[in-house]
Each structure stands twice: as C-alpha cells, then as structure tokens.
Amino acid sequence: MHRSLSVIGEQTYSPVTPPAQAVRIAEAEPPSSDESVPLLADLEANHRTYHSNGDSRPEAIGKRSAVKNVGLRIAKASGPFAKDVLRSIPAAILGTLLNILDGISYGMIIFPASGVFADLGGVGVSMFFVSAIIAQVVYSAGASGFSGANGSMMIEVVPFFHLIANGIAEEIGEDDPHAIIATTMVAFAFSSILTGGCTCPYASSVAMLTYLTGLTFFVLGALRLGTLIGFFPRHILVGCIGGVGVFLVITGLTVSTRLSDDDFSLSFATFKFFVLNLRNLSLWLPAFCLAVLLRLITHKWDHQLIFPIYFCIIPAVFYVIVAAAGFDLGTLRNTGWLFDMGTSSDPWYHFYTLFDFRAVKWAALGSTMPTQFALLFFNILHPPLNVPALAVSLAHDVDTDKELVAHGYSNVLAGLVGTVPNYLVYVNTLLFYRVGGDTRLSGFVLAGTTTVLLLVGTGPIAFIPVMVVGALIFVLGIDLVKEALWDTRHRVSRTEYITIASIMIVMTVWDFVMGVLFGIVVSCVFFVVQSSQRRSIRALYSGDSVLSTVRRPGAHREYLRDVSKQTTILRLQGFMFFGTITHVEEAIRALLDEPVWRRTPIRFLVLDLALVAGVDMSAAEAFVRVQRLLESKSVILVFCGFTFESSVGHALRNVGLLDMQGVELFETFSDAIEWTENIYLRAWFTAQKTEVLPVTLPGRQDDVIPFPGSVVDSPRRAALVNAGWRTIARDHAPPSDQHQPEPFNTLVRAFSPYEAIDRDTYAPLLPYLARMAVPAGTVLWTQGARPDGLYVVEAGILRATYAFAEPTPPMVESMVPGTIAGELSTLAGLERNATCVVERAAVLWKLSTESLERLEHEQPELARAFTRLILKVAKLDYDILITALATRQ
C-alpha cells in the first residue's frame, strides 16, 4: 500500500502497547467523563501527567503520587464523575491553598493602607476572590486551551492601583471619602474591561480599568496579534517587573509597620523610622527574615509544596508562642502584630455597597487615564509571554490568540461585576497540573472551593499574623528584583541592563507611569543608536567582478569586463532610516570625491535593495540628494531588488525619486546588470560605422542610450572606445575579403577569443553540424532529460532556467548569437540541468550525440581539439553563473 508523504507526515507517533499491558492500564484507570473535551467547543490534546520540563512520562511514586493513588482507590467504587471529582481533590486543595496565600498577600494591598482606604483590606481580599472565581470558571469552561488553567489577579498591577487611588483622593480631596471610594471602584473595574469590563466611582476606577483590559484582550485575540505582542522588547517588561519588586519590598515595610504610603520617602528620616526605631524594626525584620529563610530553603530543596506548607507553619508557630506566653490578642492587634479589621464582620459582597454612580467624580476619573493606559500596556504584555512558556513546560500546544480571547472574556466579566483584572497564572497552573489538576473538572472544583472561601468572608483575616502577609510580600518583591537584576546579568546586553536598572530607579523615585514611559523612550533611543551602528552596506564592489547571467561571445565578455569598471554596485540591507542612511550617503559621496573620481570614474551606480525591509521618509529624501549629486556627474542611478508597487517602491515614489531623470528600476539584480551591459554594448556598436554583423541583446530594449554624444569626448567614453577596439573590433567578424559561409562565421565568433580558428583545421567539422530554424517558444530540452546534443547559436536568443529545491528561487540564463548551449551535459552524457526555451526565433547549429560519436570515431584529433575549445568556453560560462548564484542575495 502506497502513501503520500503528506499523509505520512500528518500521522502522530503512538507507541504500541502490548495487549496484556493495555488490559492492566484499563483496569487501573477506568475511563473518565471525558474532561478533555472543553465545554465551550474547544479542541485540544489532554495530557494525563505534566512535568516542569515538558516530559509526560509517568511520575515516580512519592508523596504527591501517593495522595493521588489514595484518591484513585477511593474512586474505584464510585461512578465515573465521582471518580474524576476525587482525582481532582489533591489539586483543588493545593490550588485553594495558593489562592488563600495570594488573596491575603495581594488582596490586602489592592488599596492603599492609609487615608480613606485604611479599612479596605478585607474589601480587597473579597475582590481578589471574585476575580479569581470568574477567571477560573471561564478558563475551565473551555475558553482556555489549558484544561487545568488557574487564573487570578496579578501582583504587578498593585502599584498602578495605588497610583489611581491616591490620584483620585488627591483630585477630590480627603473631605469627601464616599466620592473617592466610589470613583476608585469604577476605575478599577474599567481596567478589567480595557484589558478584557465594570461600573463604579473609587469603585468606578476599578471597573473602568477592568473594562479596558478585557476589551483590549478581545481585540488582540480577534486580530490574531498575540504573537506580535510577544516580540515587544522583553527588557522593558523585565525593568517594570523589577520596579514592581522594589514597590513590593517597600509595601512589605509599610504593611508591617502600618506606615502610610504618603509618609514613605527615600530620606534619612524614613531610614531612622525603619532601622533605628526598635519597635518598628521588630515588626518588619521577622517578616523579612522569614522571606529570606524561605528562599534559602527553596534554593537547596526544590519542591512545589514547600511554599504553601511554609506559610501554614508560620501562623501555627506564632499562635503556639502566643499561647505559651499568654499574650492578649487585642494587645497584639493594637501593637501591630495582628490585623485590625474594622470591617471584619462585613459580608463578602460589602464592596458592592461602595459603588455609587451618583457620587462618582468623572473629572477625577478622567485624570486617571494616563495611569490606566500605562497599566493596560503592562497588562497586555504578560499573556503573550506566559502562555508560550507554560505551553513549553507542559508540552502542550495552544493558540496564543485564543488565550487572549479567553482573557478578554474573564476580564470583561470581572469588570461587569465590579472587580479587578485577572490573568492566567503561570506558577499556579504549573503546580496544579503537577498534582493531577489536568482536567476541566479540576478547575471547576477549584472554583467551588474558592467560592467557599469567599462566602466565609474576611473575618478570619483579623487572626492572621501581619508577619505572614509581610513575609509573602517580601518574598514576591525579592523574587521580582532578583529576576530583574540578578537573573539577567549575563543574559542581556549592557544597554539592555542599563535600561532595566533605569526603569526600576525611575519607578521607585518618581512613579510607575513615568517608569514605563521612560523605558519605552530609552529603548527607542538605544534602538536608534544600535541600529545606526549596524552595517547597512552589505557589499560594495565594481561591476567587473559580477557579470550578468547572459552567455555572450567571448569578445563581448572581454569588453564588458573592461568597461564594467565604470559600474559600481552597492548592496544594502536592513531598514533604511535616518540612523542608517547616513553611512550610505557618505559612502556614495566618497565615490564622487575628486581624487577617487579621477582614478575610477563611474557611469552607473547600482543600488540593490533586495534585503532592505523598508525606507522611511528621511532615507528616501537622502536618496533624492544622492540622485542630484549623481546627476551633476552624469551618473545613472539604477535601483533593483524591489517592485514599483512594493513598500520600498511606494516610499521612493512618494518623494518623486523614481520619476526623476537618470533613475532606472529593475526587479532583480541580474536584470539591472544585464541592462547596463546592453547599454555598454549598444554604445560601442552605435558609434561604429563599419559594423558587419548586427548585435542581438536580451532583456529590456531601450532605444535611447542614457549618455548620448560622442564616445570620445570624455575619459569615460574614451575608455569604452579603447576597450571596444581591444576586444570586439578584433574578433567581432572575419575580414570581408575572407568571407566564409555559415556555420564557420558563427564558430569564429564563439571560439576565436579563446583560440585561433583555422579554416583548414575545422572545415571537416562542418558536415557534422545540422542547421535548425526554431520558432520562439520551442522547448529545446527539459531539466532532467537525456542530452540529445549541443547547439551553437547563430541568431536569436535562448533562455535556460535552472530550477532548485524549494525555497531557492530559479536562476535564468540567456544565450545570444555566438554562444553554445547544452555542451556540458552532452559531453558528460548526463541529464540536463536546466530547461531551455527559444525566447526569440533562432537559427542553431546542432551537434547531436550521434554526430559527436561519429566525429570521435572518424576524426579523433579534431574531436579532441573541438572538445577542448568547448570546455574553455564552458569554464568561463559556469564561472559567471556560479558567481551570480553566490552574489544574488
């Protein structure tokens, strides 16, 4: 049975499982309820077990797998759905624990801890859980390609939330706290819709931000721009992440000591407050030491359960010490060791009472828009980076654009219910998969347990030690600073590292919006500087080193190799803009400097733009200046490598360059060189009054020579004449008093530049040649065919096309009168290496393979002499062809 390669290529590898082993597997793992099928009609591959390195082999038996095995044993007596629920319990427990830790550490600092926001820590936790539940339900329902995707709020957005909240408070004034909170809530929710969508005043600000986030994700996913965003300069994002890390370290200090954000400054007074005040030092130092200890532990032992277990142990040890010492909880709360939750008895939905559109100050809301868009910019960079990284870690192929649409759904819904933006969390999802949370049902179970946490309310937060939250915030801050400064020290260039550090400094000293804008500006400046230092000139050489792929008589080639010194070729690359065009313009001006011009005057300047991605207005106008300079020297500017309708052609057309006198355009480099050679040849033959045989030229036929006038009235024209007399005039045709019939005249034209052609020596060859009159369009042979003979061209033009394997483009070679075709394959007896077509009606003299064999048998000496001549011609022809192949890009 035969199969096509395309069918075979689409088959996926599937290891063969022995029948007995298959039975055992079936018994050990009964069929599930097909959780791999998404509830929203998503197609995906569902992997049972995932590892951080992307390996999907079965895990080794250990504590984690033992927990899952217990669930499997319990599930054997239950139905398929119950079994899947039990299998999801270990992952749900871990996911819930992570949500608790994130909710406390993130939610407690969503709002500033001072002023009118001082008692909103519990509100922030509720908003965090609502956003996490929405994201979890949307992802698990099939919007995400990851069956076990975990979603929640990003810690990196907290600094922007503080800027928005403090900005609104400053705009409205502390005497109207109700309006401040209402406006802030609307702004926060609007951020979700912009990224993904809500409605509220301080509440208004939240809703607004969420709306913006969701809508933006929708647009990016629908337009399939996810991959494009992934190419945004990563070091800018890393610098912003580092700035967030510094902010979190500062937040850890302020949360631990209950210092207002407004009272924090980079001053000696602040240093004394934190370091020289023993009470304050005792509040934040234990949390900081706990964070450092955790990182020392994880540096030596790498296990995903260390982090949650560590933070479960801290409050247990805290209360053991409290009980042993007999401390009063009220006293601990008043002295800053426990949270003082003034609204701890409020239900989870209390934050909805903060939304009051009548109290929203729309002017204050509008003043937050620069920060909103800075946050939006920051938000949209994460998913295109996190999603591919997670796909690699899980060996799971996903569509980044689909994930952006999923983020749009989750954020618009979050905005509509008045909470904060959310996104797919890389670390939580990876850990969730590792403990068996690889089904959509697992995600729904996690959403259910998180809902239970939400319904319990924020009252228990009053019993959480402040050092737990402080340690969590310190750990996150230290990790982000380490990621930005330490992990990148050998991975980025010096300028990128300077950019990262500069963004962090600006974010810390001024604010986050300024830091983001500063990073973009600095990156643009560095990009311009670095790009301008790169070589935009790929090659600069004289035309005598590269001839066109036109087979010409030897005399013509000698003439062209001599006069092509008047052609200069400049091959450019990259994007031509104001930073790179300067070097190009300087190089061209150097060619026209008087000392250089006296030594090597030029007639044509060929600019090859095949590898130029684009041309901006500054570069296009620079080319106009160059053309005016060339025109003063009577130099023809020849462009090639692009079309009239291409982006490069459009840019040059906009400044009128392609319509200027003395400017020519060709699609390929070979066409441009061929045209200059034809002009050189036509200039010589036009100047001669005693021409015997007309010259046939391929390619574009121009009736007007671009440099009219006498050919001897300048050094350049005199050089053409001298070269013509040394080459073409000597061998162009036999003397008129020794006129000989064809094909002897054609043999003289073809071979006389390489060796003297004696009539008596080569007269016996003539009977072996057969004359052929061939109309245009005739195919003489095809690539891969057996050779039938070689051809000497008397009149007309042939065109050979050399086809190569994809994606290499074909090479085209023309053959004019006085040349030979098909010689090497005939002499070697091998397959044709090109397809040859008659481009213009031709007269050919054919030496068939049979006639060649008779010649070798009947005239062996003549056959050897003729073969030697053919090899000389073929050697030069193929040297030129190979050079053209090597230099065409």
Side-chain angles (χ1 to χ4, degrees):
M1 178 178 178
H2 298 284
R3 301 183 184 182
S4 67
L5 288 176
S6 61
V7 173
I8 295 174
E10 293 174 359
Q11 295 176 341
T12 57
Y13 171 72
S14 178
V16 178
T17 304
Q21 183 179 351
V23 172
R24 290 195 299 270
I25 293 175
E27 293 175 352
E29 298 183 17
S32 68
S33 58
D34 196 14
E35 288 299 329
S36 63
V37 179
L39 303 182
L40 296 182
D42 170 67
L43 296 177
E44 64 179 51
N46 182 40
H47 301 279
R48 293 184 306 138
T49 303
Y50 294 87
H51 302 263
S52 60
N53 61 357
D55 188 0
S56 59
R57 293 173 296 180
E59 293 181 338
I61 298 297
K63 295 180 181 178
R64 195 172 61 225
S65 58
V67 174
K68 292 192 292 182
N69 289 338
V70 170
L72 287 173
R73 288 196 295 269
I74 296 175
K76 285 185 177 180
S78 307
F81 179 78
K83 295 174 183 178
D84 289 339
V85 171
L86 291 175
R87 288 181 64 247
S88 303
I89 289 176
I93 293 174
L94 176 62
T96 303
L97 184 57
L98 292 174
N99 279 345
I100 292 173
L101 295 176
D102 291 344
I104 295 173
S105 58
Y106 300 1
M108 289 293 293
I109 60 174
I110 285 179
F111 297 97
S114 61
V116 298
F117 310 110
D119 297 327
L120 295 183
V123 170
V125 174
S126 296
M127 294 177 69
F128 172 90
F129 283 134
V130 171
S131 184
I133 292 168
I134 291 173
Q136 196 61 54
V137 171
V138 170
Y139 296 157
S140 300
S144 173
F146 298 103
S147 298
N150 284 199
S152 67
M153 190 192 87
M154 284 193 301
I155 186 62
E156 289 88 348
V157 303
V158 172
F160 295 94
F161 283 166
H162 283 207
L163 283 176
I164 292 172
N166 289 327
I168 290 174
E170 183 178 352
E171 184 77 16
I172 296 175
E174 297 287 342
D175 56 341
D176 194 355
H178 179 62
I180 294 174
I181 294 176
T183 306
T184 303
M185 295 294 287
V186 169
F188 282 12
F190 184 58
S191 72
S192 288
I193 290 193
L194 246 195
T195 307
C198 179
T199 57
C200 3
Y202 176 71
S204 293
S205 157
V206 176
M208 192 170 165
L209 187 56
T210 313
Y211 276 130
L212 291 172
T213 303
L215 291 176
T216 304
F217 277 136
F218 267 134
V219 172
L220 294 175
L223 298 179
R224 307 194 68 80
L225 298 177
T227 305
L228 180 62
I229 297 173
F231 289 107
F232 184 85
R234 181 66 183 271
H235 61 284
I236 296 181
L237 179 60
V238 171
C240 293
I241 290 173
V244 172
V246 175
F247 168 82
L248 290 177
V249 172
I250 295 174
T251 301
L253 293 172
T254 58
V255 167
S256 300
T257 58
R258 296 185 179 181
L259 178 69
S260 168
D261 289 348
D262 295 335
D263 294 333
F264 180 87
S265 62
L266 298 175
S267 63
F268 183 70
T270 303
F271 174 79
K272 289 194 301 180
F273 178 83
F274 286 115
V275 178
L276 302 183
N277 186 312
L278 294 181
R279 175 186 174 276
N280 293 332
L281 184 65
S282 65
L283 289 174
W284 70 263
L285 188 58
F288 184 82
C289 292
L290 288 171
V292 173
L293 177 61
L294 175 62
R295 281 303 162 233
L296 293 176
I297 293 173
T298 55
H299 180 72
K300 187 171 183 180
W301 295 284
D302 185 14
H303 195 283
Q304 60 269 20
L305 295 179
I306 291 177
F307 188 90
I309 292 175
Y310 184 82
F311 281 101
C312 289
I313 293 174
I314 294 175
V317 173
F318 176 85
Y319 278 104
V320 167
I321 296 175
V322 168
F327 292 131
D328 178 65
L329 296 184
T331 303
L332 292 175
R333 189 169 288 113
N334 292 332
T335 55
W337 293 94
L338 292 175
F339 285 105
D340 184 7
M341 302 296 294
T343 58
S344 60
S345 60
D346 292 330
W348 68 269
Y349 50 83
H350 170 70
F351 72 90
Y352 284 114
T353 64
L354 304 178
F355 285 94
D356 185 356
F357 283 107
R358 292 172 299 179
V360 173
K361 302 298 183 182
W362 299 104
L365 183 63
S367 67
T368 68
M369 293 310 296
T371 306
Q372 296 267 16
F373 282 105
L375 174 57
L376 172 65
F377 169 79
F378 193 75
N379 276 339
I380 64 177
L381 294 181
H382 277 270
L385 297 174
N386 285 347
V387 168
L390 183 60
V392 171
S393 297
L394 299 179
H396 190 22
D397 188 23
V398 295
D399 184 355
T400 301
D401 296 308
K402 177 182 176 180
E403 298 303 315
L404 288 178
V405 173
H407 282 70
Y409 279 121
S410 64
N411 281 280
V412 165
L413 290 176
L416 290 174
V417 300
T419 188
V420 292
N422 53 68
Y423 82 128
L424 186 147
V425 184
Y426 171 87
V427 175
N428 291 20
T429 302
L430 190 60
L431 296 178
F432 197 68
Y433 267 81
R434 284 180 173 178
V435 292
D438 55 359
T439 64
R440 299 199 180 278
L441 182 58
S442 301
F444 282 116
V445 173
L446 175 59
T449 56
T450 306
T451 302
V452 172
L453 291 177
L454 177 66
L455 296 177
V456 168
T458 59
I461 295 177
F463 299 94
I464 297 176
V466 173
M467 69 171 63
V468 173
V469 177
L472 276 167
I473 297 173
F474 278 130
V475 167
L476 294 171
I478 292 171
D479 284 349
L480 294 182
V481 172
K482 173 179 173 291
E483 177 184 342
L485 293 180
W486 182 259
D487 295 347
T488 60
R489 67 194 189 282
H490 299 309
R491 294 167 47 195
V492 299
S493 66
R494 180 177 300 177
T495 56
E496 289 175 337
Y497 195 84
I498 292 174
T499 303
I500 292 171
S502 301
I503 292 174
M504 294 176 61
I505 293 172
V506 173
M507 283 186 165
T508 303
V509 176
W510 285 276
D511 62 50
F512 279 77
V513 177
M514 288 294 296
V516 172
L517 295 177
F518 176 81
I520 294 175
V521 171
V522 169
S523 295
C524 291
V525 171
F526 279 143
F527 174 78
V528 171
V529 172
Q530 291 174 344
S531 297
S532 62
Q533 291 174 348
R534 293 173 183 165
R535 291 184 54 192
S536 53
I537 300 177
R538 188 164 58 94
L540 174 62
Y541 45 82
S542 174
D544 63 339
S545 58
V546 179
L547 298 180
S548 70
T549 57
V550 178
R551 290 195 183 185
R552 304 184 190 272
H556 290 191
R557 278 187 172 160
E558 288 186 38
Y559 167 76
L560 291 174
R561 196 173 292 279
D562 196 333
V563 300
S564 289
K565 295 175 183 177
Q566 297 186 24
T567 299
T568 295
I569 299 166
L570 197 60
R571 312 189 88 158
L572 307 180
Q573 63 183 0
F575 188 84
M576 294 292 104
F577 70 106
F578 59 87
T580 56
I581 194 62
T582 304
H583 302 300
V584 177
E585 188 172 0
E586 290 175 353
I588 295 175
R589 289 181 180 274
L591 296 173
L592 305 180
D593 285 345
E594 195 59 33
V596 178
W597 180 264
R598 282 198 298 267
R599 292 195 304 270
T600 54
I602 62 174
R603 174 72 65 186
F604 298 103
L605 176 62
V606 179
L607 293 183
D608 183 5
L609 274 61
L611 296 183
V612 171
V615 177
D616 75 350
M617 179 176 289
S618 300
E621 291 178 347
F623 282 128
V624 172
R625 294 194 299 271
V626 166
Q627 161 55 19
R628 290 170 181 162
L629 186 62
L630 295 174
E631 188 177 17
S632 66
K633 295 280 192 176
S634 299
V635 178
I636 308 301
L637 179 59
V638 182
F639 284 107
C640 63
F642 63 94
T643 62
F644 194 74
E645 299 298 331
S646 66
S647 59
V648 174
H650 183 71
L652 298 183
R653 273 202 336 268
N654 287 342
V655 295
L657 178 60
L658 299 182
D659 298 325
M660 295 178 68
Q661 187 72 23
V663 177
E664 303 291 340
L665 172 62
F666 296 88
E667 185 171 350
T668 67
F669 175 73
S670 181
D671 291 342
I673 297 300
E674 180 182 311
W675 179 80
T676 61
E677 292 176 354
N678 291 344
I679 295 299
Y680 285 132
L681 289 169
R682 185 174 287 111
W684 161 258
F685 286 113
T686 301
Q688 305 311 305
K689 307 301 182 183
T690 58
E691 181 182 350
V692 178
L693 296 176
V695 61
T696 303
L697 301 175
R700 196 176 86 184
Q701 304 298 307
D702 292 352
D703 296 331
V704 179
I705 299 174
F707 42 93
S710 171
V711 295
V712 295
D713 61 0
S714 76
R716 287 178 293 180
R717 295 190 177 107
L720 298 182
V721 173
N722 295 334
W725 283 111
R726 289 194 304 270
T727 55
I728 301 177
R730 182 189 65 198
D731 298 315
H732 183 254
S736 57
D737 58 348
Q738 297 179 5
H739 180 73
Q740 301 294 340
E742 292 291 356
F744 186 73
N745 288 343
T746 300
L747 293 178
V748 170
R749 297 179 66 188
F751 299 115
S752 60
Y754 311 100
E755 190 175 304
I757 305 300
D758 180 65
R759 166 69 181 177
D760 296 334
T761 302
Y762 288 94
L765 175 65
L766 304 185
Y768 294 92
L769 299 173
R771 187 178 186 275
M772 299 173 59
V774 188
T778 302
V779 179
L780 294 180
W781 67 79
T782 59
Q783 189 165 336
R786 297 293 301 174
D788 60 344
L790 61 86
Y791 301 83
V792 183
V793 183
E794 176 186 336
I797 296 178
L798 309 182
R799 184 182 72 253
T801 302
Y802 298 85
F804 306 100
E806 293 291 342
T808 307
M811 173 68 76
V812 177
E813 181 183 33
S814 298
M815 287 152 277
V816 301
T819 60
I820 56 177
E823 67 284 1
L824 283 185
S825 57
T826 299
L827 294 178
L830 300 176
E831 296 176 347
R832 299 287 194 185
N833 59 355
T835 297
C836 187
V837 179
V838 179
E839 187 172 292
R840 296 186 200 170
V843 176
L844 310 175
W845 292 92
K846 179 179 180 180
L847 178 63
S848 65
T849 52
E850 295 80 6
S851 298
L852 179 59
E853 290 176 358
R854 287 193 298 110
L855 178 65
E856 291 172 343
H857 179 70
E858 298 170 1
Q859 302 282 346
E861 292 297 329
L862 178 59
R864 282 195 293 271
F866 186 61
T867 300
R868 186 171 60 252
L869 273 177
I870 291 175
L871 292 176
K872 288 181 179 180
V873 176
K875 191 267 182 188
L876 294 177
D877 288 339
Y878 279 89
D879 281 350
I880 292 174
L881 187 63
I882 290 172
T883 301
L885 277 169
T887 60
R888 65 176 175 174
Q889 292 211 356

